[in-house]
Amino acid sequence: MNRTRLRSTAALVLLPGLALTACGSGTTPGAAPAGAQASPAPTDDPVAAVRTVDSVTALLPADVRASGTLRIGSSVGLPPGAHYPNGPGKAPAGQDIDIADAVAKVLGVKLDRQDASFETILPALGSGKYDVGTGNFGVTNQRLKTVDFVTYIDDGQGFAVKKGGTAVQKKVTDLTQLCGLTIGTGAGTTFESTLAAQKDICAKAGKKPYDVKVYSENGATLTALQQGRIDVIMSTINGLRYQAAQPAAQTTFLGEYHRLDVGFAFKKGSPLTRAFRAAVDELIKNGTYARILRKWGTSASAIDASRINPPEHR
C-alpha cells in the first residue's frame, strides 16, 4: 500500500481458489468475488492466549469502558488480509481479523463487526456509524485530512502479471514501464489514485498512454488478467505476493513499487487512538503480533511500534 491516496486498500486479487486483499479494495459485503472459491485458513490461533491489560483499558473513554463494545466497519476481501475461508455468512479470517480481535482482547472490549464495502467505511466513520474501520487502509496525506490512523503493519503497492507473459518481465520502478499496456486495479483504491495522478507521464515521455480498467471485485480482476483483457494487475504487496504463491493463480509478482503504512481508521479527533496504539504496542511486546504475521506469511511487513497519524511514506 504505497502512499498515494488509497481510497480502498484492503483488497487483493482472487483466483480460482483464492483472493487477495490490498491497500485498497474490498468485495461486496458477505459475497465472494465472482469465480473465486474460499481458501483454507491456517488453524493456529495466536489470539487465544491474549489477555486484557488494565493499563491499556484505562486509556479508553469512560463510555466505551462502560458499554464494553466497539462497532467496527470491516472490509472483508481475500487472504492474507481478510476473507471467508468457509464461505460467506461464516466467520471471517485473516491477518486484519486476528489483529483487530487481539487488540479488542487487550482493551477488554467486544467487537461488533459489520461487513462493509471498502469505499463506504471512511465516510461512515465521520457520520458515527462505526467507531473504527479496517480494510488494509493505507495512510496517505490526503486521507489524514479527514481520518485518524493507528498503524499496525507496513504494506504497499505492487504489480503482478500472468505467469509466462511478456508484457512486463522485471520489477516496475517507474510507471513509464507500463506505457501502452492495460492495467487492472480495484475501485476506490490508492492504486487507482496513483495511476490517475500520473496519467500524463507516458505522453511526457513520448509514449502511448497506459489504459486503466477498474474492477469492483478482486476475482474479476484476476479473470481479466488470465483471459488477456488486461496486461498487469496493480494491488497490495502482501496480496499479490500471496496470490503468486498459489499455483492456481498463474501470476508472477513483480515486486514492491511503493510502501505505505496501514492502520485502523477513526474519525478525525477520535478519543480511541491512544488506546489502540497502546494495544498494538502491547501485542508487539508480548510476541502475539509476530505470531499473527507469521501465521499469515506477512512477517516482512512487521512494524517496530504503532504510530498515530504518521506522514505518508515518500
Side-chain angles (χ1 to χ4, degrees), residues 6-287:
L6 292 180
R7 290 168 38 191
S8 54
T9 159
L12 288 184
V13 177
L14 279 183
L15 47 138
L18 77 97
L20 304 171
T21 74
C23 249
S25 62
T27 58
T28 302
Q37 301 168 356
S39 56
T43 56
D44 50 318
D45 185 7
V47 181
V50 178
R51 298 291 178 264
T52 300
V53 178
D54 291 341
S55 61
V56 180
T57 298
L59 298 174
L60 287 171
D63 61 332
V64 174
R65 293 199 303 273
S67 69
T69 302
L70 287 171
R71 298 161 299 165
I72 182 168
S74 180
S75 175
V76 180
L78 301 170
H83 70 302
Y84 292 106
N86 299 309
K90 305 295 184 180
Q95 163 199 278
D96 290 357
I97 302 298
D98 281 352
I99 291 177
D101 286 348
V103 163
K105 293 186 74 172
V106 171
L107 293 172
V109 300
K110 294 188 180 300
L111 295 179
D112 175 12
R113 181 173 280 114
Q114 301 175 34
D115 286 359
S117 58
F118 184 91
E119 64 273 14
T120 66
I121 293 176
L122 297 187
L125 293 171
S127 70
K129 182 176 182 179
Y130 310 122
D131 300 305
V132 57
T134 59
N136 208 42
F137 290 108
V139 181
T140 67
N141 291 335
Q142 183 65 30
R143 284 179 169 172
L144 286 170
K145 295 177 182 178
T146 56
V147 179
D148 283 340
F149 288 98
V150 172
T151 62
Y152 61 84
I153 200 167
D154 184 49
D155 198 348
Q157 300 172 337
F159 295 92
V161 294
K162 185 176 181 180
K163 184 169 290 187
T166 59
V168 185
Q169 299 182 39
K170 62 181 182 179
K171 179 178 179 179
V172 176
T173 58
D174 189 299
L175 292 185
T176 56
Q177 293 172 246
L178 305 178
C179 294
L181 301 180
T182 301
I183 307 163
T185 196
T189 61
T190 54
F191 320 118
E192 183 186 9
S193 299
T194 294
L195 295 169
Q198 300 195 54
K199 63 182 179 180
D200 297 329
I201 194 171
C202 293
K204 292 177 181 177
K207 299 182 178 182
K208 182 180 178 181
Y210 53 69
D211 184 32
V212 179
K213 292 189 180 299
V214 177
Y215 298 87
S216 59
E217 292 184 340
N218 296 305
T221 312
L222 182 63
T223 298
L225 181 70
Q226 293 170 329
Q227 294 180 349
R229 289 182 280 116
I230 60 174
D231 302 299
V232 186
I233 290 174
M234 187 178 189
S235 192
T236 63
I237 293 168
N238 286 335
L240 292 176
R241 182 181 281 126
Y242 185 98
Q243 182 187 66
Q246 315 305 313
Q250 289 295 300
T251 62
T252 297
F253 177 54
L254 295 180
E256 301 177 7
Y257 174 69
H258 181 59
R259 279 275 171 180
L260 280 177
D261 288 314
V262 171
F264 293 104
F266 306 84
K267 70 177 181 180
K268 204 67 182 172
S270 171
L272 297 172
T273 55
R274 289 177 60 240
F276 268 72
R277 178 180 63 181
V280 173
D281 284 344
E282 172 65 24
L283 296 174
I284 292 172
K285 182 176 70 174
N286 68 27

